Amino acid sequence: MGKKKKVIVTTVIRYLIILIFCVPMIMPLLWMLTTALKDNAAVFAMPPQWIPKVFHWENFTIGLQQIEFWKRFGNTVFISVIVCFGQVCSCMSVGYALARLRFPGKKLWFYLIIGSMMIPGMVTVIPVFRLWAACGFYGTWWPMIIPAFLGAPFQTFLAKQFMSGLPKSYDEAARMDGASRLQVLLKVIGPMCKPLIAVIAIQSFQGAWNDYLTPLLYVISKPEKWTLSLAVGRMTSSTYGTQWNLFMAADVVYMLPILILFFFCQKYFMEGLGSLNSSGVKA
């Protein structure tokens, strides 16, 4: 077998292996899409129908009407954009301080951030809920928005690691030209951190978009403040039974913004994650 044929065979085998591993992840998505196009009686038909006999495109219209899609879509976009902005600002600032500045207790603060990632989020749900309720924020979006401006452990760790790999000569040159620390971050370090910003932005936006527990805790009594995740999730708690075809139709539309966002930003996202793997932990 010639060298060219070996390369072709190796490439084909590689893609077949990738395809085999992709099938288990793609199948649930395909099932969700086909379910969204069936009538409710065909959802549990035996044997299962992968391709509906009749395509019910009206399921999407009815499903979106049931959850008042545009109102909840506006709520979700508003919260997700603010959370994304808050986490990018806070994580970039703290990451810059840990990576580029010298101050007492720097290692301690870094290890505290790392340690906080080991605490399960469910452990803090009750005390945090009581704290927000005592502040009078129950029934508002503030418990979803304010924490974003206080940073996130993993994204802060990622920012610190990324910036630690950048030459400090850039900072020194800017400081010699009279730039402040904020100017160095915004005009020198920031433009070199586009992959990092993309990772933080995508993760924070996705986290806020998919968050179900926080809206359930704080705005369940305020339907006008519901997010899409909460509205779609409540479709499965109907007194008269769940209409799974409508639920899946709403769920497909609910997923689209995240898929579109990742599609356009995947290059920067993968570059940012790659930088973390190559940098190692530096305190």
Side-chain angles (χ1 to χ4, degrees):
M1 184 182 293
K3 184 176 180 181
K4 185 175 181 180
K5 289 185 177 180
K6 286 183 179 180
V7 172
I8 295 174
V9 172
T10 303
T11 303
V12 171
I13 293 174
R14 185 183 297 118
Y15 278 103
L16 285 175
I17 293 174
I18 294 173
L19 181 62
I20 291 172
F21 281 99
C22 285
V23 167
M25 294 182 286
I26 294 175
M27 294 297 282
L29 297 176
L30 291 177
W31 181 254
M32 180 175 67
L33 180 59
T34 58
T35 302
L37 295 171
K38 300 174 183 176
D39 60 73
N40 205 43
V43 173
F44 298 101
M46 296 299 294
Q49 299 176 4
W50 278 99
I51 301 178
K53 295 179 179 179
V54 179
F55 289 87
H56 293 270
W57 297 101
E58 71 276 7
N59 289 345
F60 289 93
T61 302
I62 299 173
L64 297 184
Q65 286 176 348
Q66 284 193 4
I67 63 173
E68 300 181 65
F69 176 79
W70 291 112
K71 179 189 295 185
R72 276 62 190 270
F73 178 80
N75 294 345
T76 309
V77 169
F78 176 77
I79 294 171
S80 299
V81 169
I82 294 180
V83 168
C84 177
F85 175 77
Q87 285 202 3
V88 168
C89 292
S90 57
C91 294
M92 288 289 291
S93 301
V94 177
Y96 174 77
L98 292 173
R100 320 295 283 189
L101 305 183
R102 294 181 180 180
F103 54 90
K106 174 180 173 179
K107 288 187 177 181
L108 175 62
W109 284 111
F110 179 68
Y111 291 138
L112 286 175
I113 291 173
I114 298 298
S116 65
M117 290 193 290
M118 312 301 173
I119 303 175
M122 296 303 297
V123 173
T124 61
V125 167
I126 294 177
V128 170
F129 175 83
R130 296 193 63 179
L131 173 65
W132 290 120
C135 293
F137 291 151
Y138 179 78
T140 71
W141 290 331
W142 290 116
M144 293 175 265
I145 293 175
I146 293 177
F149 290 86
L150 303 179
F154 176 74
Q155 284 78 7
T156 301
F157 169 75
L158 182 60
K160 189 266 182 188
Q161 294 303 107
F162 190 98
M163 294 183 190
S164 294
L166 300 177
K168 290 191 175 182
S169 56
Y170 293 114
D171 306 52
E172 296 169 357
R175 294 287 289 170
M176 290 179 63
D177 288 339
S180 65
R181 290 291 185 186
L182 182 59
Q183 290 175 323
V184 172
L185 174 59
L186 294 179
K187 298 182 179 181
V188 180
I189 302 300
M192 294 187 289
C193 293
K194 289 181 180 179
L196 168 65
I197 295 173
V199 170
I200 297 175
I202 291 174
Q203 289 183 338
S204 58
F205 189 91
Q206 180 184 17
W209 188 274
N210 293 333
D211 188 12
Y212 177 77
L213 179 61
T214 310
L216 180 66
L217 288 173
Y218 296 102
V219 296
I220 186 62
S221 61
K222 304 283 187 179
E224 70 277 5
K225 296 183 181 294
W226 283 11
T227 60
L228 272 178
S229 61
L230 184 57
V232 173
R234 299 299 290 176
M235 291 180 72
T236 62
S237 60
S238 173
T239 306
Y240 304 101
T242 300
Q243 293 181 290
W244 291 103
N245 55 339
L246 302 183
F247 171 74
M248 292 299 180
D251 214 15
V252 167
V253 179
Y254 164 73
M255 290 174 54
L256 283 178
I258 294 298
L259 295 177
I260 294 172
L261 177 66
F262 182 78
F263 177 80
F264 285 105
C265 300
Q266 60 177 318
K267 178 182 177 181
Y268 289 127
F269 184 77
M270 299 309 296
E271 287 180 2
L273 291 182
S275 68
L276 175 62
N277 294 331
S278 61
S279 61
V281 178
K282 300 177 182 179

